[in-house]
Amino acid sequence: MSAGSVAVVVTEEIGVPSWDLYELSIPCTVFGKPQPDLADPWYDLRLCGTGAGSEEGDGAAGGHGLSLRTRYGLDDLVGADTVVVPSVPDPCVEEGRPLPRELIEALRRAHDAGARMVSLCTGAFALAEAGLLDGRRATAHWMHTAQLAERYPKVHVDASVLYVDDGDVLTSAGLTAGLDLCLHLVRRDLGAHVANQLARRMVVPAHRPGGQAQFIELSVPAGDDEGLAPVLEWARANLDRPMTVADLARRAAMSPRTFYRRLQAVTGTTPLQWLLDQRLGRARSLLESTDLPIEKVGELSGLGTANNLRHHFLRHLGVSPGDYRRAFPGAPATGRGRTPV
């Protein structure tokens, strides 16, 4: 087992948004602070910027940004055992601004030299631009996975997981999922005991159950088809009742085929999947806002027994109802009966 060297890419050094410091600080905390009682030597960390050593770093940052100086440049990515891209500038994601060509070329050279390539959050856009995710399964923050999939169709984007380990290329979802991935790397490099002890010192779980599917907000269409709106509203208000697609079509005064086609055009999904999504959403709301028994949550959401509720949560959210409730505590001490509509 070996720690090795870790090169962390700093994609912006002047005017770095303060909110981007979180992803940058994760690999610095995990790999940069020596832990001689756990492993000696620890990782050799280097921060590699696009303008290392230049006088530009002395300039004051405007707005909410900061100025950073890095000792190493992009050429220093080559030769590192692990290269981490914590994030890329927001305009490169939201507006399609090109990433620096020298960065993309440096990432390719580092990969060709045998480096293990890692991205946190939107750093996946840099790896994808370099072609390192082509044909691979990858992830990013769930708010950006649709953009990642659209911009790089050769990438198999999975929005449901906290991180993806594809051997020599690893990607993570946003924010704290980056910490999950970095601890996973320590586990791979130095063993479970070291990773568990490090997680304990950081006061975080060594491994979180489930994936980021449990954090994704339910997709709600901007506006329902006028002919569908009343029946969809009725369905949302009566999720505890048994209902079929034929029942909904009849209430909408449509044939099942027409109802199927209209609902799919409006929501982008099938009637059965739409109904399941609503039931899961109701169950999630009940688990977050009440202390009702799991069996009652299943009944009120229309998902049936506690076992059936557990089955759907594990399959679609990757976590059990009990774990979900513990992750999102919000019920008052006496929350029974406070069931949101």
Side-chain angles (χ1 to χ4, degrees), residues 38-331:
L38 297 182
D40 193 15
W42 194 247
Y43 293 88
D44 174 24
L45 180 75
R46 62 187 72 159
L47 297 180
C48 301
T50 56
S54 71
E55 294 302 317
E56 292 178 311
D58 292 329
H64 299 287
L66 301 171
S67 292
L68 301 177
R69 293 290 300 275
T70 59
R71 177 181 176 184
Y72 299 97
L74 293 177
D75 288 341
D76 295 296
L77 297 181
V78 179
D81 296 302
T82 301
V83 173
V84 181
V85 186
S87 63
V88 299
D90 286 345
C92 295
V93 177
E94 303 294 345
E95 303 166 17
R97 190 183 82 185
L99 285 159
R101 180 48 48 189
E102 60 271 20
L103 168 62
I104 302 306
E105 292 174 353
L107 292 174
R108 290 172 180 157
R109 292 200 309 272
H111 180 257
D112 290 343
R116 177 174 59 184
M117 309 300 291
V118 178
S119 69
L120 313 182
C121 196
T122 58
F125 284 78
L127 297 190
E129 183 65 25
L132 304 183
L133 299 183
D134 288 358
R136 295 179 184 261
R137 179 167 162 261
T139 194
H141 193 294
W142 61 266
M143 293 180 68
H144 302 299
T145 48
Q147 291 167 300
L148 182 65
E150 181 180 3
R151 198 169 300 171
Y152 303 101
K154 293 182 180 179
V155 181
H156 306 307
V157 179
D158 186 346
S160 67
V161 294
L162 292 174
Y163 60 83
V164 173
D165 182 342
D166 197 30
D168 62 334
V169 178
L170 301 91
T171 55
S172 84
L175 299 170
T176 306
L179 179 55
D180 293 310
L181 177 53
C182 288
L183 287 172
H184 171 71
L185 290 171
V186 174
R187 191 178 302 111
R188 268 184 48 171
D189 295 339
L190 301 173
H193 175 73
V194 173
N196 291 345
Q197 290 302 310
L198 180 60
R200 187 185 297 273
R201 293 177 183 184
M202 299 180 73
V203 199
V204 296
H207 177 75
R208 286 194 292 165
Q212 66 171 331
Q214 60 186 300
F215 304 101
I216 299 175
E217 297 176 12
L218 281 177
S219 178
V220 179
D224 294 332
D225 180 291
E226 290 185 4
L228 293 177
V231 69
L232 297 186
E233 187 61 34
W234 177 87
R236 293 187 188 103
N238 293 276
L239 291 171
D240 57 327
R241 298 175 52 170
M243 64 182 77
T244 65
V245 175
D247 294 334
L248 296 176
R250 187 162 45 251
R251 181 171 286 271
M254 301 177 189
S255 69
R257 179 177 296 182
T258 299
F259 179 79
Y260 184 104
R261 186 176 66 252
R262 294 270 290 275
L263 183 65
Q264 190 169 43
V266 170
T267 66
T269 189
T270 66
L272 284 178
Q273 186 61 51
W274 179 88
L275 188 56
L276 176 60
D277 288 344
Q278 305 309 306
R279 294 192 191 283
L280 285 169
R282 173 64 56 81
R284 289 167 65 172
S285 178
L286 291 170
L287 289 170
E288 293 175 19
S289 61
T290 77
D291 58 1
L292 290 169
I294 300 297
E295 189 78 33
K296 189 65 174 178
V297 171
E299 176 186 329
L300 291 175
S301 63
L303 290 172
T305 65
N307 283 338
N308 201 42
L309 179 68
R310 177 181 175 81
H311 166 77
H312 284 294
F313 262 65
L314 288 173
R315 181 178 180 184
H316 297 281
L317 303 182
V319 67
S320 71
D323 284 339
Y324 183 87
R325 173 170 270 169
R326 284 187 286 274
F328 296 95

